[in-house]
Structure formats: C-alpha cells, structure tokens
Amino acid sequence: MLSTYPLCIAVLLAISTDVIAAPQPRPRTTGTGVMSMDLKRRAMPPKTLEEKAQWAKSHRELLHTKYGRVLPGRKRSSGTNLLVNQGTDSSFYGSLAIGTPAVSYNVILDTGSADMWIADSSCISGCDSIPTFDTADSSSYTNSSESFSITYGSGAAAGVLGADTIQMAGFSVSNQIFAVCDQVSSGLLSDPISGLLGLAWKTIASSGATPFWQALVSGGAWDSPLMAFQLTRYLNVNGASQLENGGSFTMGAVNSSLFTGDIEYTDLVDDGSYWMIPITSLTAQGSSASIGSGSDAYAAIDTGTTLVGGPSDQIASFYSLIPDATAGTGNYEGYYLYPCDTTVNVTVSFGGKSWSISNDDFLLQQISNSQCVGAFFEFSGGSNGPAWIFGDTFLKNVYSVFRYDTPAVGFAELSTVASAMNGNLEAEVPSATIGSVAAAVSATSTNSRNSNGALRSSSSLAILGAIVATVVFFSS
C-alpha cells in the first residue's frame, strides 16, 4: 500500500537498479490488431549481504511512514492490464496513458493509497533516466496551480495538481486530477517506472481527488463493481530477471480462468478508506498466534506493499511458534531470523477459509549458510491506520478481488493456469502500450481538498488493442 508512495517498492527498486534496457521498436503484429516489441532479458546479479540488510531496513521504515498518518445508456465493459513483476516480487506495475495525444507510462498499482502522481519532464531531482510527463505536449491538460507534496520514509515527492484524460485497459476518465511532480528524492523512482496509481478510496487521498478507479465504477463504466489481481512469484527463482511477467489486474470483472471455487468476501470494517478487513486467525507450524482484538486485528490488503507487517507483540507471538527463530538486530531490527532448513507453514483467515502462504514467499532472504529472514516484520501504524498490512507475500497465494458495492475484499484459490505462471522464465514481459477506449467517464474526478522515453500515440498507435489493455465489452 504505498500509501504516499505505496512504493515500498520504490525503496526496493533503489537497491535493485539493474533494469532492462528500453526495447527497440521492432513492431510485430500478432494477428489480432495488437502490436508488440521483442524484449531482452538480463539476469539480476546477486545482492550482497549489506544490500539485503539495507533493503530490509528501508522497507520497514517506508511502511511506517506510509501508514503513520459510464453514464446511463453507455456500453459497459471490463478490461485487463497485464502486469510486470520487478525485482523478483519487490513490486508490480502496469501501464496507463495520459493526455492528448496519449502517452503511456508504467506505474505501481497500489491498493494501499489513493493518489495518482507522475514525474514531470521539468523534474529537477530524482527523475534521471525515467520516462516523464511533459504537460506542454498534452492539449487536454489543465494546471490547477495547487501544490502537492508527499513524504515517505525514504524520501519525498512534490509538484502541482493538474487534470487530464487518463486511459487504462480500455477505460478513460476525463479531467482526472493527479499530481505532476518536479521534485523527487533520489532513488524513489527507478526506470521504467514513472509514478504511482492509488487504488484505495477517496477518503484517504492526500489530494482530495476521486481516484481513477472510483470515478469509473461510480460512473457506471464497469460490468461489475469490482477489480481483481493475480500476482506471480519469482522470489528465490534462479535465473529470474529484473523484469518478469507479473500477472494481471482486471477492472469490471473477474477472470474465471485464474481461480477455482468460490470467491470468499469479507466486508470492510468501514465504508471505505483502506481496503481493511479483520483477521480472525493466524497460524505458524499448525499453532495459533496472537492477532490482537478489535481494531488491533484489522488488516489493510495492499498490493503496493511487498511483505506483511504487524504489531510487535503479535509478530513476536507468531515467531515463537517457529523453532529457533530470533529477533533481528541492526538493519534487521523488527525482522526475525530462523533456520533456513525449516519449512514454515503459515495460514491466515479473515472469517472463513484459512489461506496458506507458501514457504517460497515466507523465506524473504538468506543471509548466511544457516540463517534466513522471514517476510513478516514488526510494524507500528498511526492512530488512524491499520494495525496489520498484508502485502504481496500473501497476495501471491490467492486471487484477490476488491469490491466497491458492497465494499469488501474477496479471495479465491488460484487455478492451475495461474499457478503455472509462477517462476516461468519463458513468459513474455508486457510492454507499455496504448489501447482503444471502450468505455469512458466524463468530468467525474472531483477534488475536495481540505527525453520523455514514453510511448506516444499517433494515427497508427491510436487503434492498437494493446498488450496491456485487453478489452471485452457488453451492452449495458
């Protein structure tokens, strides 16, 4: 939940900076009206122990800062945005397009925050070697001249609010308010990511603007009032590259090929802020850990957070169930170490089924011949934030659904099709592309505030169906 820069990921990226070079534009037609480009991979060099430790420290500090504080008669549709897995599960990003003519950018998709921001072409710090947005190139952009700033544990971003047309997965919102940032702390952004798209509720938006997703669903653009994620796993996979296939983000529908059985929904604990639901059970090695009571057991379900964070007493209770687990020190303060030859079996329940977390996801890092770092760490949220954060360590193990009406989060078992994507080194990495719009919402994004390197649209690109924007539409 990169709530202000849900990018716990930004930190992760700062440490894993070996990114694939920009693909050369060698258009290839797939036969479906879609153009794609050949991509090159390069394996990531192993991190040093010092880099691993700094990653752990930065991730924990960032999360603390983050949580410390279609019209009637239109066709409705659903659309899918294919994701990229960056830094072996450190972050997951998709693409959207901004302006007239449209320009595509890669952004972190974060259900833990509600603001959208993008790096400005006039950026004076922290934006080297990344695609940036040039407001002068868009005839539909308007500048509100209202300042915007956001601070993270690892840095900050600042700029101004503006409005423009935003397109994603076959959907479009005109006059969408977002921030264009010309000051970004060093290391906060890393190529090929240019910004962040918040997917939580308007009530927690720093800008006061209606989020892109909420404008669409409240405007009637979606077939069903929900969005869903399927995330891939490349953590601890030998030969994994900096960028791999990341799964999919679907708006307005669920993809039945990616899950099996029923979707189990749990209503939100409020009317919509974070995607927050109560934990009812957490086990390790078959025994129950303390989870707290009341609001101390509330968990935000956050695609923008890599790991799982919880209150110190409850995390200590959890690790007491894992033989020979010990509290970390130094850069690993707040984390726990345990014997690498131990297979850790973890389950969590939110009122119904118990969901398993793979040992492949729980084993975060190996820091010596015998010691490994667990993916659960101590986290102390602010008075108004959630006590627990369940990020991608958990979400890679389920098909997750975020429902607008009635507000709820749902989970389902992954299908064999989805599970087969994990660790697949032959899978194609999606590239940022611009697709045609199937459903649009006009002027619904409101504000109630108390070298570019991007792919540009042209007469030929404007008709593309896009790798990352597969659209299916139905009559309303």
Side-chain angles (χ1 to χ4, degrees):
M1 257 172 132
L2 290 182
S3 79
T4 300
Y5 188 34
L7 302 173
C8 290
I9 296 170
V11 175
L12 318 181
L13 308 185
I15 293 173
S16 299
T17 55
D18 297 307
V19 187
I20 292 181
Q24 296 301 310
R26 292 165 50 197
R28 175 166 55 87
T29 302
T30 64
T32 60
V34 176
M35 293 181 67
S36 61
M37 291 184 263
D38 295 330
L39 299 169
K40 295 183 179 179
R41 297 176 188 267
R42 134 169 132 223
M44 298 193 320
K47 294 187 179 72
T48 65
L49 292 180
E50 181 179 352
E51 289 173 331
K52 290 180 179 180
Q54 187 59 47
W55 181 95
K57 178 182 179 183
S58 298
H59 178 90
R60 181 169 176 266
E61 289 179 348
L62 177 58
L63 198 59
H64 275 107
T65 302
K66 172 180 179 178
Y67 284 96
R69 27 161 216 98
V70 174
L71 302 177
R74 280 188 188 272
K75 283 188 174 182
R76 295 184 179 185
S77 69
S78 61
T80 295
N81 192 279
L82 299 186
L83 305 179
V84 176
N85 181 325
Q86 184 174 38
T88 56
D89 304 0
S90 291
S91 63
F92 294 83
Y93 67 80
S95 69
L96 51 71
I98 306 174
T100 306
V103 181
S104 67
Y105 299 92
N106 292 317
V107 292
I108 297 297
L109 304 182
D110 178 30
T111 60
S113 67
D115 291 286
M116 172 185 165
W117 69 271
I118 200 84
D120 191 355
S121 60
S122 63
C123 186
I124 61 177
S125 64
C127 304
D128 293 342
S129 302
I130 65 169
T132 56
F133 174 54
D134 189 343
T135 60
D137 286 349
S138 174
S139 62
S140 50
Y141 176 80
T142 58
N143 185 348
S144 73
S145 299
E146 190 172 358
S147 63
F148 172 88
S149 66
I150 213 154
T151 301
Y152 311 92
S154 61
V160 296
L161 293 177
D164 209 336
T165 298
I166 307 298
Q167 300 178 45
M168 185 182 204
F171 295 103
S172 175
V173 175
S174 60
N175 301 316
Q176 173 67 50
I177 297 170
F178 63 101
V180 182
C181 295
D182 60 0
Q183 298 181 60
V184 181
S185 295
S186 177
L188 202 56
L189 293 179
S190 177
D191 183 50
I193 294 175
S194 300
L196 174 89
L197 179 65
L199 296 170
W201 298 73
K202 177 182 177 179
T203 53
I204 63 169
S206 298
S207 63
T210 301
F212 175 77
W213 76 273
Q214 206 167 344
L216 287 169
V217 69
S218 63
W222 290 354
D223 287 333
S224 298
L226 49 77
M227 52 191 176
F229 282 88
Q230 170 253 331
L231 305 178
T232 60
R233 176 190 303 116
Y234 284 85
L235 182 64
N236 301 316
V237 172
N238 291 331
S241 299
Q242 174 70 4
L243 303 183
E244 295 286 359
N245 171 44
S248 64
F249 168 54
T250 301
M251 294 185 286
V254 295
N255 186 335
S256 59
S257 72
L258 298 177
F259 68 92
T260 184
D262 295 330
I263 300 171
E264 180 183 275
Y265 286 99
T266 301
D267 290 346
L268 301 191
V269 300
D270 56 22
D271 292 331
S273 55
Y274 300 102
W275 292 98
M276 191 157 52
I277 56 178
I279 307 171
T280 56
S281 173
L282 176 65
T283 73
Q285 310 304 70
S287 298
S288 295
S290 170
I291 55 174
S293 60
S295 60
D296 289 339
Y298 291 171
I301 309 303
D302 183 1
T303 59
T305 289
T306 308
L307 309 179
V308 173
S312 58
D313 288 348
Q314 280 66 50
I315 292 296
S317 169
F318 171 81
Y319 278 101
S320 71
L321 305 175
I322 301 174
D324 300 318
T326 59
T329 59
N331 285 337
Y332 290 109
E333 181 180 356
Y335 290 84
Y336 279 74
L337 313 180
Y338 69 97
C340 293
D341 59 4
T342 298
T343 297
V344 180
N345 300 307
V346 181
T347 68
V348 61
S349 175
F350 301 97
K353 179 182 174 60
S354 291
W355 305 99
S356 297
I357 296 178
S358 169
N359 183 67
D360 292 332
D361 292 313
F362 184 78
L363 195 168
L364 177 61
Q365 298 174 356
Q366 181 168 349
I367 61 172
S368 71
N369 289 335
S370 61
Q371 283 191 311
C372 285
V373 180
F376 281 43
F377 68 99
E378 295 177 359
F379 162 72
S380 179
S383 57
N384 297 321
W388 291 81
I389 311 298
F390 270 70
D392 302 333
T393 289
F394 166 66
L395 292 171
K396 287 178 286 181
N397 295 271
V398 294
Y399 187 78
S400 56
V401 184
F402 300 80
R403 190 175 68 190
Y404 173 75
D405 186 18
T406 306
V409 178
F411 303 116
E413 296 277 359
L414 292 172
S415 67
T416 55
V417 171
S419 297
M421 298 182 192
N422 293 329
N424 183 356
L425 301 180
E426 301 303 317
E428 185 176 15
V429 180
S431 57
T433 339
I434 300 165
S436 59
V437 174
V441 172
S442 300
T444 55
S445 179
T446 58
N447 182 313
S448 57
R449 181 176 175 145
N450 2 1
S451 99
N452 238 303
L455 177 66
R456 296 180 177 277
S457 68
S458 65
S459 57
S460 59
L461 288 176
I463 62 172
L464 293 185
I467 295 177
V468 293
T470 308
V471 184
V472 181
F473 25 159
F474 308 89
S475 298
S476 55

